[in-house]
């Protein structure tokens, strides 16, 4: 996620992505790069290898972790409405978090715990410092237990939100709330929180507070029936080539029991571009102060040390990373997605592919895209 070289001439983006399609590292891609008022959109490859259906600008993708900034935008509208303060304890809405335990040390046995000094707050969720989440070291019993709840107990995914949160609350925090950046889990808790405050399911919250005002007609937590002809399959890269990971009629083809605030949205290129427009100061959803906080590094010195495999030297705002050199804000997703904006210059770079990213270390096609985009 570090800055690349200056932007390239028009046509280079399409050529680059086509080379990766030809090399079978991706099946297809849709990308948008906007720098200094010059916008290039590239559409290459196919949405589904089985049918050979070509990729189009309105193909629907699994956004994965670039869901986080969208749910964060929804969260900040509740702050603007006065429904919740950023530093209010969350046990007012999530009583499951009222009596949490914390590992005595990060490597301690799951039963070797101390009481949490305080419940997590909204700020802890937005900065990914609530105490649950993935560290750079992926080993150990605690990480295995978290992964079990994070991804679900079976192939259908996590259980419904109330059951999921109750189960998560039985797992001690790795660190005291507000002290250490850990990747991912905070945004699933955030999704449960927003649904509790609104007394409506998270898909309704995102639809009403983000999708409708920003005109994101294709965004949701599952592919609708009327979108099926535009949906994409997802693939896993193997030494033998691309292997089907999730088909057009797979897991995202019906509403999930647990709508994931960390990675559950599907949508199109233009829908995420609408989010980018708001992050550039669109003013339809967020105030100037909310935008400033969202895109400003919120981590204190040392808080990101345990998550450096994910942060790669960057800071963290609300919902996404912040590049210390350029101020670029955004994130990447495990289904081969990337979305970033640079508020100071008005730049936008969005890439949607279908190749899963199985490691926090970005694959070559992402690095190549960033070289062209940034």
């Amino acid at each position: 996620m570090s800055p690349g070289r200056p932007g390239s001439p028009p046509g280079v983006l399409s050529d680059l992505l086509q080379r990766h399609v030809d090399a079978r590292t991706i099946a297809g891609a849709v990308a948008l790069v906007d720098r200094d008022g010059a916008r290039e959109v590239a559409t290459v490859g196919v949405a589904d290898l089985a049918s050979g259906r070509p990729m189009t600008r309105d193909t629907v993708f699994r956004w994965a972790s670039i869901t986080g900034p969208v749910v964060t935008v929804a969260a900040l509208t509740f702050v603007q409405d006065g429904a919740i303060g950023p530093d209010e304890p969350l046990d007012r809405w999530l009583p499951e978090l009222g009596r949490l335990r914390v590992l005595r040390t990060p490597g301690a046995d799951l039963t070797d715990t101390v009481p949490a000094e305080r419940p997590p707050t909204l700020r802890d969720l937005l900065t990914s410092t609530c105490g649950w989440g993935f560290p750079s070291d992926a080993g150990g019993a605690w990480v295995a237990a978290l992964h079990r709840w994070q991804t679900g107990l079976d192939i259908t995914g996590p259980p419904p939100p109330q059951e999921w949160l109750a189960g998560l609350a039985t797992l001690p925090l790795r660190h005291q709330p507000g002290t250490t950046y850990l990747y991912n889990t905070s945004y699933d808790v955030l999704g449960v929180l927003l649904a509790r405050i609104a007394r409506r399911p998270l898909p309704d919250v995102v639809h009403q507070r983000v999708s409708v005002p920003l005109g994101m007609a294709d965004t949701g937590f599952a592919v609708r029936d009327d979108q099926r002809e535009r949906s994409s399959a997802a693939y896993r890269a193997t030494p033998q080539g691309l292997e089907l990971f999730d088909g057009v009629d797979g897991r995202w083809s019906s509403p999930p029991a647990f709508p994931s605030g960390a990675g559950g949205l599907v949508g199109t290129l233009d829908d995420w571009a609408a989010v980018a427009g708001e992050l550039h100061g669109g003013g339809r959803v967020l105030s100037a102060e909310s935008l400033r906080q969202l895109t400003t590094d919120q981590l204190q010195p040392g808080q990101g040390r345990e998550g450096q495999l994910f942060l790669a030297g960057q800071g963290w705002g609300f919902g996404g990373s912040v590049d210390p050199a350029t101020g670029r804000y955004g994130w990447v997703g495990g289904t081969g997605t990337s979305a970033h904006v640079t508020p100071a210059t008005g730049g936008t770079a969005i890439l949607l592919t279908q190749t899963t990213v199985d490691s926090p270390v970005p694959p070559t096609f992402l690095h190549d895209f960033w070289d062209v985009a940034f």
Side-chain angles (χ1 to χ4, degrees):
M1 298 153 205
S2 58
R5 59 182 173 79
S8 302
V12 172
L13 177 61
S14 295
D15 293 344
L16 163 73
L17 297 178
Q18 186 61 52
R19 286 200 301 273
H20 279 282
V21 170
D22 294 342
R24 303 277 287 182
T25 55
I26 58 176
V30 179
L32 179 152
V33 173
D34 193 334
R35 63 177 88 80
D36 300 324
R39 174 172 289 201
E40 180 180 2
V41 175
T43 304
V44 300
V46 298
D48 176 19
L49 287 172
S51 67
R53 180 164 40 88
M55 192 69 74
T56 63
R57 184 164 175 163
D58 63 355
T59 295
V60 178
F61 291 83
R62 299 153 187 79
W63 282 358
S65 292
I66 63 171
T67 293
V70 181
V71 174
T72 296
V73 170
L76 291 175
T77 67
F78 285 93
V79 177
Q80 292 173 175
D81 291 347
I84 182 174
D87 297 306
E88 289 186 58
L90 298 185
D91 56 346
R92 171 183 170 187
W93 296 273
L94 306 176
E96 297 93 334
L97 308 188
R99 300 181 66 182
L100 297 174
R101 305 287 296 182
V102 183
L103 294 179
R104 189 177 299 278
T105 65
D109 184 88
L110 296 182
T111 60
D112 185 8
T113 63
V114 297
E117 295 172 358
R118 60 168 175 80
T121 65
L122 176 60
R123 188 182 304 277
D124 297 333
L125 297 184
L126 295 176
T127 57
S128 226
T129 60
C130 76
W132 288 303
F134 295 101
S136 295
D137 177 5
W142 186 88
V143 172
L146 176 65
H147 189 269
R148 180 172 178 266
W149 276 105
Q150 190 74 19
T151 59
L153 305 180
D154 56 43
I155 61 172
T156 64
Q162 183 170 331
E163 181 183 343
W164 179 84
L165 187 65
L168 181 69
T170 65
L171 179 68
L173 304 178
R174 186 177 178 91
H175 295 280
Q176 291 288 346
T179 63
T180 303
Y181 172 92
L182 297 169
Y183 177 57
N184 190 267
T185 310
S186 286
Y187 293 93
D188 275 339
V189 179
L190 179 63
V192 179
L193 171 68
L194 300 187
R196 291 274 181 95
I197 296 173
R199 298 183 181 180
R200 301 183 66 85
L202 180 62
D204 290 352
V205 173
V206 172
H207 180 73
Q208 293 170 0
R209 290 183 172 255
V210 184
S211 297
V212 169
L214 297 187
M216 300 161 61
D218 284 314
T219 299
F221 284 87
V223 176
R224 304 187 308 260
D225 288 343
D226 65 297
Q227 295 174 313
R228 188 179 180 282
E229 294 300 318
R230 295 186 286 120
S231 64
S232 59
Y235 300 93
R236 179 185 291 110
T238 74
Q240 292 74 41
L242 294 174
E243 175 184 273
L244 185 67
F245 169 72
D246 188 65
V248 171
D249 296 316
R251 181 168 167 178
W252 273 265
S253 63
S254 59
F258 182 84
S260 170
L265 284 175
V266 301
T268 61
L269 176 77
D270 286 309
D271 278 5
W272 220 102
V275 178
E278 183 66 12
L279 299 182
H280 282 307
R284 287 177 288 175
V285 177
L286 294 182
S287 68
E289 177 58 17
S290 292
L291 283 170
R292 185 195 67 78
Q293 292 185 67
L294 186 147
T295 57
T296 301
D297 185 9
Q298 300 288 333
L299 296 183
Q300 301 302 310
Q303 284 188 321
R305 187 177 300 115
E306 197 165 326
Q308 276 306 304
L309 184 61
F310 301 96
L311 290 174
Q314 302 208 18
W316 190 263
F318 288 163
S321 65
V322 179
D323 188 282
T326 64
R328 188 176 68 248
Y329 167 89
W331 199 232
V332 297
T335 50
T337 58
S338 172
H340 293 81
V341 299
T342 307
T345 64
T348 299
I350 303 168
L351 173 67
L352 303 179
T353 83
Q354 313 126 279
T355 300
T356 62
V357 179
D358 297 325
S359 165
V361 180
T364 301
F365 68 82
L366 275 179
H367 278 294
D368 288 349
F369 170 72
W370 293 333
D371 281 346
V372 168
F374 304 137

